[in-house]
Amino acid sequence: MRIVAGAYGGRRLKTAPGKRTRPTAERVREALFSILGPVDDMAVADLYAGSGALGIEALSRGADRATFVEHDARTADIVRFNLAALDAVDEAEVVVWDVLLWLQSVAGSAAFDLVLIDPPYSSAPRLGEPLSQLLPRVLAPNATIVTESDKRAPLELDLVLWDERVYGDTRIAIHRVF
């Protein structure tokens, strides 16, 4: 898997072996960031980070910093490896913790401009309510939230839906908070 564009464009990323993680396809990342437009100077949270591809794509395109939250320690090590290979460690923080617990812990003390959420497809439908309650407490003014899920069992947030696209079986929903 490669970074699509920006400072790290064309560079390859390591992914977890097997089917435990499902990296966002390059064409989906390319389309998503075309829709989002510039991400310069943004603070980004990549939740359910997996390989870190979404957050690293944001860093490559000019985001100021990124926080990667992944509950599996071995998968978080892959994010660290990818960041080190790109010499992007200083721009990032990798947190090994359950996403919902982490959101509770940073509520009121963090403000993200862009939140990228790509949970395991099997758990996405049950995450809508808790994420809808927790996310507003970690968002900067005019923040954008992006969710990726299976179109047949989507992750639906109770936040203003700005755009929605389907790429094969993948549903991308973009929410804006003003």
Side-chain angles (χ1 to χ4, degrees):
M1 175 181 22
R2 296 177 308 114
I3 296 299
V4 177
Y8 310 132
R11 304 275 301 272
R12 295 209 174 273
L13 296 176
K14 182 178 178 181
T15 60
K19 296 184 179 184
R20 287 183 349 184
T21 61
R22 171 204 29 78
T24 302
E26 286 178 33
R27 72 180 184 95
V28 174
R29 278 185 284 120
E30 183 173 17
L32 169 63
F33 282 92
S34 291
I35 295 165
L36 292 176
V39 296
D40 298 336
D41 305 320
M42 287 188 175
V44 176
D46 185 347
L47 308 182
Y48 307 95
S51 67
L54 286 172
I56 291 171
E57 189 76 45
L59 287 172
S60 181
R61 292 170 183 253
D64 186 50
R65 63 182 175 86
T67 300
F68 299 84
V69 183
E70 172 58 52
H71 78 280
D72 183 79
R74 289 182 305 197
T75 304
D77 285 342
I78 291 171
V79 176
R80 287 186 191 97
F81 175 88
N82 286 332
L83 291 165
L86 298 168
D87 197 26
V89 174
D90 292 341
E91 304 157 9
E93 174 186 17
V94 179
V95 178
V96 180
W97 206 351
D98 174 82
V99 166
L100 298 177
L101 294 175
W102 178 79
L103 285 169
Q104 289 174 359
S105 75
V106 299
S109 64
F112 294 98
D113 304 296
L114 176 62
V115 179
L116 306 162
I117 306 170
D118 183 12
Y121 279 6
S122 61
S123 63
R126 72 175 185 270
L127 291 171
E129 183 179 336
L131 286 171
S132 294
Q133 292 173 6
L134 295 168
L135 284 169
R137 296 185 268 170
V138 300
L139 299 175
N142 303 313
T144 300
I145 303 100
V146 176
T147 64
E148 178 180 340
S149 59
D150 189 308
K151 70 178 183 183
R152 295 172 300 250
L155 169 54
E156 295 180 343
L157 298 178
D158 189 22
L159 301 170
V160 176
L161 182 63
W162 181 72
D163 198 352
E164 179 179 31
R165 307 282 173 101
V166 175
Y167 303 93
D169 290 336
T170 301
R171 173 188 180 259
I172 298 291
I174 303 171
H175 300 266
R176 292 264 165 95
V177 178
F178 299 100

